[in-house]
Amino acid sequence: AILVAYIVPVDMNQPISVSALKQVLTAKLPTYMVPTAFVFMEALPRTSSGKLDAKALPNPSGSESSPYRAPQTDAEKFIAQLFAELTGAEQVGLDHNFFELGGHSLLAMHLFIRISKQYGVQLPLRTIFEFPTPEGLAQQLMGGTVKRAYKPLFPFNTSGKFPIVFCLPPAGGTATVYKNLADALGKDHQLVGLQARGVDDDEGQYDLSIAEGAATYIRAIKQMQPEGPYYLLGMSLGGNFAHEMAAQLEEQGEKVAALFLVDTMAIYPRTKDEQKSEQELTFELLNALADTEQPYAGPDKANGEQLLDAIQAQWESVGMIPKGTPRSYFSKVVANSLMARSLTKEYIPRVCQTPIVFFKSTVTDGQQKEEWFDWQAYSDQPIAKYEVAAKHAEMLWQPNSYTLIARIVSQVVRNDILGSSN
């Protein structure tokens, strides 16, 4: 199901901008209440008693939906051409949706790289999700200086018939890592990501404990869903946030129907950290992010920029980011990743009642210990475990892994809502 707006214009001969309508509604309504489709009609159908005949309303994909409108301004033409180049679409109009044309989060980054080079303006990456048409993006470009405010909620699909799965940010803080999972789940499943402060905004970085971060994210999801049951999912550090959120929500009397943890550690080893300098610890984590066969030992062998080059090359190689990602954006993601150490330094999970579904990477470097990933001590419910044949960094990027995760998530949600017979 999708949210459709049926509109009766004062003058049917006067074109109405769908993007402009969406922009007005987005400023006044929560994202999930903004219509996905707009249908223009000469009059609304009525029953014999004069009431609205909802059954007679046309399908939004019918011929009466908004007609093709050609780009007019230089910015609209430039963006429409980019849409066509990146998605392979033959003709792109003002109201064509980037993602409906076949765009995805990696292509969205390419789009923003090109826009940034052309206009010298760094829009928030989330803009393409909020204004996914040539007209909408062009209006944002022409708005002058962009104030990139922090918005934690990052909706991917809010029109499905099944409950929302809220996905918490891993180290790095980005919500876009969940786009592949959202696509794999399909249109029936709602999925909303949460993004950390400092990645795609001008408001600095988080410097919180896991508990404080979880409280921030709970306030955010309650804007969209005031009451449970909630479905929470977290990759890596995101799983720690999700588990703490489950504990806090239970304390508030809310129900968490399921908690999906994707290769999340329950215990973070700290025994050797006390003998290491902050610089050594930083380079240790950077090497882990770089995932190279020959690690850098420290500044005497490689400076920070060389390590960033290695990390970016690794992430590009597995498809986590597109080649040519601006260093300004990438540096913020890495800076948030480095904060994972301080966030988990004093972190000890609490016991919760929520059923846990755990996805474990089977492709490791052999240095990890199984007990680091043992969540049973922190749940009163038996834990369902699934092995995923992918590296930790690839679990949301390799099709064989994220499709497996999507299939299990779908089964759990469908069984809860429809019953085990479905």
Side-chain angles (χ1 to χ4, degrees):
I2 62 174
L3 187 60
V4 183
Y6 293 92
I7 300 170
V8 180
V10 174
D11 183 359
M12 284 293 292
N13 295 318
Q14 183 67 34
I16 295 178
S17 167
V18 171
S19 293
L21 282 174
K22 284 188 176 182
Q23 187 169 2
V24 171
L25 294 173
T26 299
K28 295 179 178 295
L29 298 172
T31 306
Y32 67 95
M33 293 182 65
V34 177
T36 304
F38 293 78
V39 178
F40 298 89
M41 307 177 67
E42 292 186 358
L44 295 175
R46 302 286 179 179
T47 64
S48 57
S49 61
K51 296 181 179 181
L52 175 67
D53 186 359
K55 294 182 179 180
L57 290 169
N59 190 296
S61 62
S63 60
E64 294 184 271
S65 59
S66 181
Y68 171 82
R69 295 191 302 131
Q72 301 296 319
T73 69
D74 289 343
E76 290 169 351
K77 292 176 181 178
F78 176 75
I79 294 171
Q81 181 181 351
L82 283 181
F83 278 26
E85 289 180 11
L86 293 172
T87 66
E90 294 184 2
Q91 186 182 56
V92 178
L94 285 176
D95 303 310
H96 278 110
N97 186 299
F98 179 73
F99 297 105
E100 291 175 1
L101 292 173
H104 49 73
S105 57
L106 291 181
L107 287 180
M109 181 64 81
H110 280 296
L111 179 73
F112 275 77
I113 292 170
R114 297 281 295 276
I115 290 175
S116 178
K117 289 181 178 179
Q118 180 74 13
Y119 292 97
V121 175
Q122 188 178 1
L123 294 173
L125 183 59
R126 65 179 305 121
T127 308
I128 185 60
F129 294 89
E130 297 177 341
F131 304 97
T133 66
E135 185 176 51
L137 280 178
Q139 288 174 350
Q140 297 302 301
L141 274 176
M142 297 301 102
T145 302
V146 179
K147 171 60 177 176
R148 301 191 305 159
Y150 172 56
K151 298 180 180 179
L153 294 172
F154 207 111
F156 291 102
N157 178 22
T158 55
S159 60
K161 65 183 180 181
F162 293 112
I164 302 171
V165 178
F166 290 101
C167 299
L168 284 304
T174 59
T176 52
V177 297
Y178 293 111
K179 183 65 169 65
N180 289 335
L181 182 62
D183 291 342
L185 280 169
K187 63 181 181 179
D188 286 342
H189 288 276
Q190 299 183 71
L191 187 143
V192 173
L194 286 108
Q195 188 146 290
R197 195 185 306 274
V199 175
D200 206 24
D201 58 76
D202 299 321
E203 300 184 19
Q205 298 174 244
Y206 268 129
D207 189 13
L208 306 171
S209 67
I210 294 293
E212 290 171 322
T216 297
Y217 294 132
I218 287 174
R219 288 192 294 271
I221 69 173
K222 284 197 169 186
Q223 294 175 15
M224 180 171 285
Q225 184 182 327
E227 299 178 343
Y230 294 99
Y231 291 86
L232 305 176
L233 183 148
M235 163 69 190
S236 192
L237 181 67
N240 299 126
F241 283 120
H243 187 271
E244 175 61 24
M245 287 173 68
Q248 291 188 22
L249 285 166
E250 288 175 2
E251 290 178 344
Q252 297 172 16
E254 299 285 2
K255 178 182 178 182
V256 181
L259 176 60
F260 303 99
L261 303 180
V262 183
D263 214 37
T264 298
M265 293 173 62
I267 301 173
Y268 288 83
R270 309 176 185 87
T271 53
K272 297 181 180 179
D273 286 2
E274 295 178 359
Q275 287 79 41
K276 296 179 181 179
S277 68
E278 191 63 33
Q279 188 179 66
E280 288 175 320
L281 293 173
T282 297
F283 271 83
E284 182 181 278
L285 183 53
L286 285 172
N287 277 309
L289 294 174
D291 194 25
T292 58
E293 292 184 2
Q294 297 295 326
Y296 297 107
D300 57 324
K301 294 188 178 180
N303 61 35
E305 284 301 314
Q306 286 177 296
L307 264 176
L308 286 177
D309 288 342
I311 298 168
Q312 186 160 349
Q314 164 64 16
W315 289 9
E316 288 175 354
S317 71
V318 299
M320 289 173 64
I321 56 173
K323 293 182 179 179
T325 296
R327 180 53 62 87
S328 59
Y329 178 89
F330 182 72
S331 295
K332 287 189 174 183
V333 174
V334 173
N336 267 300
S337 297
L338 291 174
M339 292 176 62
R341 188 183 301 278
S342 61
L343 286 173
T344 58
K345 186 175 182 180
E346 305 297 333
Y347 170 68
I348 299 177
R350 296 188 290 159
V351 178
C352 69
Q353 308 291 323
T354 301
I356 293 177
V357 179
F358 189 77
F359 300 96
K360 179 68 177 71
S361 165
T362 61
V363 184
T364 68
D365 58 10
Q367 301 299 313
Q368 299 172 344
K369 297 181 179 180
E370 287 299 318
E371 57 262 33
W372 295 352
F373 297 87
D374 186 1
W375 282 93
Q376 191 59 74
Y378 310 107
S379 175
D380 282 348
Q381 304 290 327
I383 295 177
K385 298 180 181 179
Y386 297 89
E387 293 186 342
V388 181
K391 290 183 178 181
H392 177 86
E394 299 173 340
M395 294 185 75
L396 294 177
W397 300 99
Q398 296 300 316
N400 68 300
S401 55
Y402 66 71
T403 53
L404 168 63
I405 294 170
R407 178 170 59 82
I408 302 303
V409 170
S410 177
Q411 287 177 358
V412 171
V413 174
R414 286 174 179 269
N415 288 346
D416 283 353
I417 304 303
L418 302 177
S420 58
S421 61
N422 293 304

